[in-house]
Amino acid sequence: MSTPKAAYIHVPFCHARCPYCSFTVVANRLDWVDRYVEAVTRELATLGRPHVVNTIFIGGGTPTLLPREPMERLLEAIRRWLPLSDGGEWSIEANPQDIDQDLCLLLRDQGINRISLGGQSFNAAKLRTLGRDHTGDQLARSIDTAAGWFDEVSVDLIFGVPGEDMEVWKSDLSMVTSRSLSHVSTYGLTYEKGALFWGQLQRGQIVAAAEELELDMYLYAIETLTEHGLNHYEVSNFAKPGSECVHNQTYWQGDAWFGFGPGAAGFVGDTRSVNHRSTQKYLERMENGQSPIAESQTLDWSMRTRERFIFGMRQLKGVDWSALTRSGDPQAIAAIAQQLPKHFALGFMEWHAGHIRLTPQGLPISDSLWVDYW
Ligand code: SF4
């Protein structure tokens, strides 16, 4: 069993819930911040002793919504229980309108070395549709400010938004390629149960982007971002060489990680667990000395092997087949091997340097392939 070398901390606060979002989020409850910091500090203390990790990722929610003083307390608690190894990566998700020189100074002084901006778009109409409360100018300024303090700055973009056309997407991409960014993530808009958009789509109040348009947008992003020196290293992620997100590779490689905060998942030993998604319940449980865990599942060898294949295939380099067959469950390996020929024959997968990887034809439809490998 490997001891986690990665940790995820979830901060659930947001100004308002965006209509496409189904994450663990509470809107307008900053009066809970002190309770939250106290609860996460308690949860961290359940580690019993400090654990050195190579990566920390503070996600949300909107972590940068935390006022400065509780933010400092949270970061200090994280540093106490999860000291970062030399050269380790410490990321925080940030909202563009929260980024200023003071915040960058605070984050950098505490040891954070990577900023991930939830930008989504620079276009006013698209931002309005997505319910975002920043402007394109604010996003551009936040990238420039963050780049003055951090070598590693990433931005998330969404494509395939109702009403968006190719010109809007091209303009979003040209805004990111003209700025100093080490990393870009691009996601096609999804309609998740629990999100406002999901109901609106069912009722015909919004119209999803046509599949062909979404495919063209994805292919255009790959072409443009790679032309600008950002290597396509995972289905949705692009980075300058050496700036790939190390933390996310934990998930893609099936490695262990700690999770803290409401709704946070963790994978320790062979157990996958998820904390209560309700922030209120999470706080109450921590305040009453109870476990925050809502569900846990022990993954047997077969499941771990299948997950390592499926998540590993999200990486453009693919999966090292001999390494997987050496360490994986033979029955799971045989089951995977049985499915492979049809995906090779359809041109969705190929061999490259001892790895099985997705082809350019397989990439856009990869999500539909994995059902055969569970
Ligand atoms: S999309 Fe981001 S900012 Fe919007 S509600 Fe979800 S977590 Fe908060």
Side-chain angles (χ1 to χ4, degrees):
M1 295 305 145
S2 59
T3 311
K5 288 287 169 206
Y8 174 77
I9 294 99
H10 190 78
V11 181
F13 305 102
C14 285
H15 280 300
R17 184 180 279 280
C18 302
Y20 59 93
C21 181
S22 61
F23 296 157
T24 297
V25 157
V26 280
N28 256 328
R29 286 312 314 237
L30 284 182
D31 54 314
W32 284 354
V33 162
D34 285 334
R35 289 176 67 196
Y36 163 80
V37 173
E38 182 58 35
V40 172
T41 305
R42 278 192 195 189
E43 195 187 357
L44 286 163
T46 61
L47 288 170
R49 62 175 175 80
H51 281 263
V52 177
V53 290
N54 298 331
T55 68
I56 303 171
F57 196 103
I58 305 180
T62 309
T64 50
L65 206 54
L66 291 180
R68 304 293 147 105
E69 195 274 328
M71 171 74 92
E72 269 175 302
R73 269 188 285 134
L74 175 68
L75 300 182
E76 275 159 17
I78 293 170
R79 280 172 25 167
R80 170 165 180 219
W81 294 105
L82 298 165
L84 195 62
S85 60
D86 282 348
E89 176 192 272
W90 188 352
S91 306
I92 189 166
E93 286 181 343
N95 235 20
Q97 69 269 47
D98 297 332
I99 289 286
D100 59 22
Q101 307 289 347
D102 285 352
L103 179 65
C104 289
L105 175 64
L106 182 155
L107 299 177
R108 204 194 57 178
D109 277 359
Q110 289 278 349
I112 288 174
N113 52 26
R114 185 172 181 277
I115 299 283
S116 175
L117 289 160
Q120 320 315 350
S121 177
F122 295 83
N123 178 274
K126 184 170 160 186
L127 286 169
R128 245 193 331 273
T129 305
L130 290 172
R132 305 295 304 205
D133 50 10
H134 65 264
T135 65
D137 279 350
Q138 275 174 326
L139 174 56
R141 270 201 307 276
S142 70
I143 293 172
D144 298 344
T145 303
W149 291 86
F150 300 93
D151 292 336
E152 304 298 339
V153 179
S154 177
V155 73
D156 288 357
L157 293 178
I158 292 184
F159 60 91
V161 173
E164 179 185 10
D165 61 20
M166 197 63 179
E167 289 315 303
V168 171
W169 182 232
K170 283 184 177 177
S171 146
D172 274 344
L173 287 168
S174 92
M175 286 295 282
V176 297
T177 53
S178 65
R179 312 204 100 73
S180 190
L181 285 162
S182 59
H183 192 280
V184 177
S185 305
T186 61
Y187 301 102
L189 183 68
T190 54
Y191 296 83
E192 309 287 343
K193 225 174 176 169
L196 190 69
F197 270 180
W198 191 84
Q200 290 183 339
L201 186 71
Q202 306 305 311
R203 293 190 293 274
Q205 291 165 329
I206 50 172
V207 179
E211 265 178 40
E212 311 79 67
L213 175 63
E214 218 175 300
L215 175 61
D216 286 349
M217 287 175 161
Y218 181 56
L219 297 178
Y220 184 81
I222 295 173
E223 187 187 318
T224 308
L225 295 171
T226 51
E227 260 171 21
H228 283 83
L230 291 150
N231 293 335
H232 190 195
Y233 74 101
E234 193 267 350
V235 173
S236 305
N237 287 284
F238 303 80
K240 293 205 169 133
S243 290
E244 296 83 4
C245 178
V246 184
H247 182 82
N248 285 342
Q249 289 174 41
T250 304
Y251 308 137
W252 302 326
Q253 291 169 2
D255 293 335
W257 77 91
F258 294 116
F260 302 93
F267 183 33
V268 181
D270 50 10
T271 303
R272 170 86 35 83
S273 60
V274 186
N275 282 350
H276 280 280
R277 275 173 65 88
S278 153
T279 300
Q280 189 170 11
K281 193 156 208 168
Y282 169 83
L283 295 177
E284 284 167 5
R285 292 189 68 88
M286 293 314 299
E287 285 160 356
N288 293 329
Q290 295 168 304
S291 163
I293 294 173
E295 290 163 36
S296 63
Q297 181 192 16
T298 302
L299 300 191
D300 61 22
W301 193 17
S302 169
M303 285 157 98
R304 291 201 308 274
T305 304
R306 288 164 195 265
E307 284 203 354
R308 276 179 56 205
F309 177 75
I310 293 168
F311 295 136
M313 286 294 287
R314 292 190 61 88
Q315 306 170 101
L316 273 274
K317 69 177 179 191
V319 167
D320 181 338
W321 184 246
S322 35
L324 188 69
T325 49
R326 268 198 311 276
S327 60
D329 167 37
Q331 281 186 1
I333 296 288
I336 294 168
Q338 215 177 17
Q339 299 299 324
L340 291 171
K342 75 172 172 223
H343 291 139
F344 275 78
L346 288 165
F348 296 150
M349 292 180 188
E350 64 183 5
W351 283 104
H352 181 76
H355 286 58
I356 298 174
R357 67 177 187 185
L358 291 167
T359 62
Q361 293 73 36
L363 265 171
I365 51 97
S366 60
D367 279 350
S368 66
L369 304 177
W370 310 133
V371 67
D372 291 342
Y373 294 91
W374 283 117

